[in-house]
Amino acid sequence: MSSLVEGNKLSLSNYLETLVIIAFLSFAIGLYWRFKFRSRYLAAELEETRQMNEQLKKFQTLNTGAPRQTEDDLPIGDTDQDSQITLEGTTNEHVTLDISDLLYIEAVGNYVKVCKLQGNEAHANMLRATMKQMEDALEAYPMIVRCHRAFMVNLAQVEQISSNSRAMQLVMRHSHDAIPVSRSNVNKLKELLG
């Protein structure tokens, strides 16, 4: 065909120019669709986070840090919130606190960091213990949940739930620490608040 039309020869520069135009158009179309669907995804995620914050506020008003009477009971709302508990480590160390003052517990190597309120400030104590030991000791308290492999939180002390495309976090009162929620525990947290 190129021999029939004068000047209709395929040159390397024409070929490369066509490839660049096709690549640019593909990139532009892909970018458009990515942002179009990403904005929908982010809007849905923002709405879900807003609903979870509302559910958290309702959950906090209905429940206290008081222990359950039996394993099958739902959290009780009319009991003494200032119940004392002593958390013990594998050595002679222990921490005694009001359960309502517990902010969170974090695993740090062979230790756990117990973050609690003293006055209106957050203070931390270290115990040589495992998260499993802490989970067993606090099993009777419905407001204290495991949200991550390395964290347990007191939901009564959560100021808000924040979320972005990568992760969900619980922002704690008084310390404003952001506690991560692992993907495997997000649904458990939603069910508890729902």
Side-chain angles (χ1 to χ4, degrees):
M1 173 99 180
S2 61
S3 63
L4 299 175
V5 179
E6 189 177 27
N8 191 16
K9 294 184 179 175
L10 182 62
S11 68
L12 182 61
S13 64
N14 287 345
Y15 177 72
L16 291 177
E17 183 179 310
T18 305
L19 282 180
V20 168
I21 291 171
I22 290 171
F24 175 75
L25 289 175
S26 299
F27 177 75
I29 291 169
L31 206 58
Y32 168 77
W33 285 108
R34 177 183 165 94
F35 283 117
K36 181 177 180 177
F37 289 111
R38 181 157 174 84
S39 64
R40 286 183 189 170
Y41 170 75
L42 291 175
E45 188 175 89
L46 182 64
E47 178 61 22
E48 181 183 37
T49 303
R50 187 191 62 75
Q51 288 175 353
M52 285 185 70
N53 277 310
E54 287 177 7
Q55 291 170 340
L56 175 68
K57 299 300 180 212
K58 288 178 188 174
F59 187 77
Q60 288 173 339
T61 58
L62 294 175
N63 298 287
T64 66
R68 297 180 189 148
Q69 292 177 347
T70 66
E71 285 186 21
D72 297 330
D73 283 348
L74 291 174
I76 302 167
D78 298 329
T79 55
D80 183 19
Q81 216 174 7
D82 294 326
S83 56
Q84 291 267 326
I85 187 167
T86 300
L87 301 174
E88 297 179 357
T90 55
T91 58
N92 292 335
E93 306 158 329
H94 66 276
V95 175
T96 302
L97 57 100
D98 289 339
I99 201 67
S100 60
D101 289 340
L102 178 65
L103 294 174
Y104 64 89
I105 298 174
E106 177 183 4
V108 182
N110 292 332
Y111 291 84
V112 291
K113 179 171 88 171
V114 179
C115 190
K116 62 179 182 168
L117 286 179
Q118 285 182 340
N120 278 335
E121 293 182 14
H123 291 277
N125 295 86
M126 299 294 280
L127 289 175
R128 187 170 180 90
T130 64
M131 284 300 280
K132 180 67 175 152
Q133 288 172 311
M134 295 297 106
E135 203 169 11
D136 291 344
L138 297 167
E139 171 177 45
Y141 297 92
M143 294 296 286
I144 300 170
V145 296
R146 185 109 179 232
C147 64
H148 188 272
R149 179 181 55 82
F151 288 94
M152 290 178 71
V153 296
N154 183 353
L155 289 178
Q157 295 292 343
V158 174
E159 186 174 339
Q160 78 176 46
I161 299 170
S162 67
S163 181
N164 59 31
S165 61
R166 292 182 306 268
M168 180 181 290
Q169 297 179 334
L170 305 174
V171 179
M172 304 306 292
R173 289 189 182 125
H174 306 287
S175 67
H176 300 290
D177 292 335
I179 308 298
V181 178
S182 63
R183 289 183 181 158
S184 60
N185 288 319
V186 168
N187 288 333
K188 182 175 83 171
L189 186 64
K190 287 178 185 177
E191 288 173 13
L192 184 63
L193 295 177

